[in-house]
Amino acid sequence: MTEAILDRTEAADAERSGIRPWRATTRVAFRFGFLYFGLFCLVYPSIVPEFLGLAREWLPDWVNSGVARALRPLVEWTGTQVFGTSVAANTASISGDQAYFWVLVFVLLVVAVLATLVWSALDRDRPHYRALQPWFLLFVRLCLAGQLIAYGMAKAVPTQMPPTPLSRLLEPYGNFTPMAVLWNHIGVSPQYEILLGCAELLGGVLLFVPRTALVGAMLSLVCTTQVFVLDMTYDVPAKILSFHLMLLCLVLLAPEAGRLVNVLVLDRPTGPSTTPPLLRTPRANRIAAAVQIALGVWLVFSNAYTGWERWTEQGAGRPEPPLYGIWAVTEFSVDGKPLPPLTTDQLRWQRVVFDRDGASLQRMDGQLVPMLALVDPGARTLVMVAPPAAVGDRPQPVAGFGFDRPGPQRLTLTGTLAGQPVSMALTSVPLDDFPLRSRGFHWVQEYPYFR
């Protein structure tokens, strides 16, 4: 009885204030959007924890996926009973398109639909949700902004797509996966990657300022749409997140759709936004805006700090390793006997690559085998170790050498390989011989340089 009186009072107040009730479809859409997108942002890993900023470094890894992990029994039961397959979250993988996450999204969708039906039945007489709307939009806006700042800074400080590894210069293009093509395409031009990151970063920053949030949502829609298209067309395992980030942009723009159509399409004047303010007084809204801006500054600082640290310690900003480069094997002897360069030989090496993230040896048939290179410049020793075949396995030593540098472009290795005494002479391959590294940019081109 009391709820009915309150509903009639709210409807009467809305009518006296000139506020038209929402259409039934709008109310249902709001309920579903509130439930589904609210649950997604709360449950999907790293969206809400992103606001912790630098504090995440001192917290356990499960903080990033705490809610998703808590739902594991329900998700695994759904995978088994509904889809007839066993699903489990692989915490060692950074893929966002694991079967576990697809089933998780299905569970959220079912919960949101059922809860919307119940909510609509219990609250069908409410004329609108104008009191709840600005808080929901604020939550969506902050979650979207946090993701754009995180991914934007990872490109503005170019660590997401690092420079092309040296071993990729030797690998046939046909061996690349679509995702590797995309990563190397962007990584070969850090200037392009930085510009992409700055666009995403600008969209996120604008979203943190209430007065520029609409412009930020429009820019963010362009950025997230491009990312989603790339994920779909290059098979990048981040389709769930990029698609939902694009939808969050549309959620923010939906209340302003009429005004945007008037300005951008119909060339008509438009009034102020009809979305109600967050709080009742101008002073309270100014304080709320200051808090949002401070949160944005915190996230920008946190991501800039971690991005710069990652670039200098793990990315292209760190020093090159002692034997950095591509080395061609010119002489190869086993037990003092020269071994001819036959493509059928399984022991002889054709090239050795020392990169920032490990090493590779190229066999005579062209196969590249990834290795871990443990170099001691003081003792002039080199140990080649095969990476573990599975998580928990111990690395297996492949070869151990003492090395010497008779000249800047020459290297000799003497030691054991596969239990046999081996010595080899190597010559450095000039990296500028690869047009991908040396071509650069040209204003004037009489003919296209296409190879």
Side-chain angles (χ1 to χ4, degrees), residues 363-394:
R363 301 187 186 278
M364 293 305 297
D365 60 1
Q367 179 188 5
L368 285 162
V369 182
M371 291 285 167
L372 301 176
L374 307 178
V375 182
D376 187 339
R380 291 183 173 271
T381 60
L382 165 67
V383 177
M384 305 288 283
V385 179
V391 178
D393 292 351
R394 299 186 62 181

Side-chain angles (χ1 to χ4, degrees), residues 31-334:
R31 294 166 190 148
F32 173 78
F34 179 86
L35 291 166
Y36 179 75
F37 292 111
L39 287 172
F40 180 84
C41 291
L42 289 172
V43 169
Y44 198 82
S46 298
I47 294 183
V48 171
E50 182 63 38
F51 296 110
L52 296 172
L54 289 175
R56 295 169 67 182
E57 297 186 9
W58 298 287
L59 296 174
D61 292 338
W62 62 261
V63 171
N64 286 330
S65 57
V67 180
R69 180 175 296 186
L71 294 176
R72 179 176 295 177
L74 176 59
V75 174
E76 293 180 350
W77 180 89
T78 303
T80 302
Q81 300 299 320
V82 178
F83 296 100
T85 183
S86 176
V87 297
N90 183 3
T91 56
S93 172
I94 61 172
S95 171
D97 287 346
Q98 299 177 41
Y100 181 88
F101 294 121
W102 283 107
V103 176
L104 174 64
V105 169
F106 173 79
V107 170
L108 297 181
L109 181 62
V110 171
V111 170
V113 170
L114 295 178
T116 299
L117 294 175
V118 174
W119 188 358
S120 298
L122 298 177
D123 205 26
R124 60 183 178 273
D125 294 329
R126 188 176 298 275
H128 55 71
Y129 294 94
R130 289 177 57 80
L132 184 59
Q133 180 190 14
W135 290 99
F136 170 59
L137 294 178
L138 173 64
F139 177 71
V140 168
R141 176 160 58 85
L142 294 181
C143 289
L144 175 63
Q147 294 299 293
L148 284 167
I149 285 180
Y151 282 98
M153 192 64 74
K155 298 183 183 70
V157 181
T159 55
Q160 185 178 9
M161 286 88 166
T164 303
L166 297 182
S167 59
R168 289 291 191 183
L169 300 176
L170 303 176
E171 192 166 356
Y173 188 76
N175 289 347
F176 285 34
T177 64
M179 181 177 173
V181 169
L182 175 63
W183 246 241
N184 286 280
H185 154 65
I186 296 179
V188 78
S189 176
Q191 300 87 349
Y192 179 64
E193 182 177 359
I194 291 171
L195 289 174
L196 290 177
C198 288
E200 294 179 5
L201 192 59
L202 178 60
V205 169
L206 293 174
L207 285 170
F208 273 109
V209 183
R211 286 189 175 275
T212 61
L214 179 59
V215 177
M218 296 171 66
L219 176 58
S220 299
L221 179 61
V222 175
C223 294
T224 55
T225 300
Q226 181 200 31
V227 172
F228 175 64
V229 170
L230 291 175
D231 290 349
M232 291 294 291
T233 53
Y234 284 89
D235 195 31
V236 180
K239 306 173 192 70
I240 293 175
L241 181 59
S242 61
F243 178 65
H244 281 80
L245 293 181
M246 184 177 65
L247 291 182
L248 293 182
C249 295
L250 295 175
V251 168
L252 293 177
L253 293 173
E256 310 297 337
R259 299 173 64 226
L260 291 173
V261 170
N262 283 336
V263 172
L264 301 176
V265 179
L266 302 178
D267 195 21
R268 293 176 181 174
T270 182
S273 174
T274 57
T275 302
L278 188 67
L279 299 170
R280 291 176 178 269
T281 65
R283 183 173 182 272
N285 282 298
R286 286 196 295 270
I287 294 174
V291 172
Q292 296 171 52
I293 294 172
L295 180 60
V297 171
W298 163 248
L299 288 187
V300 170
F301 168 76
S302 296
N303 282 278
Y305 180 87
T306 55
W308 181 259
E309 187 178 52
R310 190 179 299 115
W311 188 75
T312 55
E313 296 182 2
Q314 305 173 22
R318 59 186 156 162
E320 295 176 350
L323 300 178
Y324 179 81
I326 301 175
W327 298 86
V329 178
T330 57
E331 298 177 11
F332 193 101
S333 300
V334 178

Side-chain angles (χ1 to χ4, degrees), residues 170 326-329 349-353 360-364 368 426 429:
L170 303 176
I326 301 175
W327 298 86
V329 178
W349 294 354
Q350 182 180 170
R351 295 184 184 92
V352 184
V353 180
S360 299
L361 62 90
Q362 188 176 35
R363 301 187 186 278
M364 293 305 297
L368 285 162
L426 305 94
V429 176

Side-chain angles (χ1 to χ4, degrees), residues 394-415:
R394 299 186 62 181
Q396 297 297 320
V398 174
F401 302 102
F403 70 85
D404 191 22
R405 297 285 296 272
Q409 310 300 322
R410 297 175 59 199
L411 174 68
T412 60
L413 301 177
T414 304

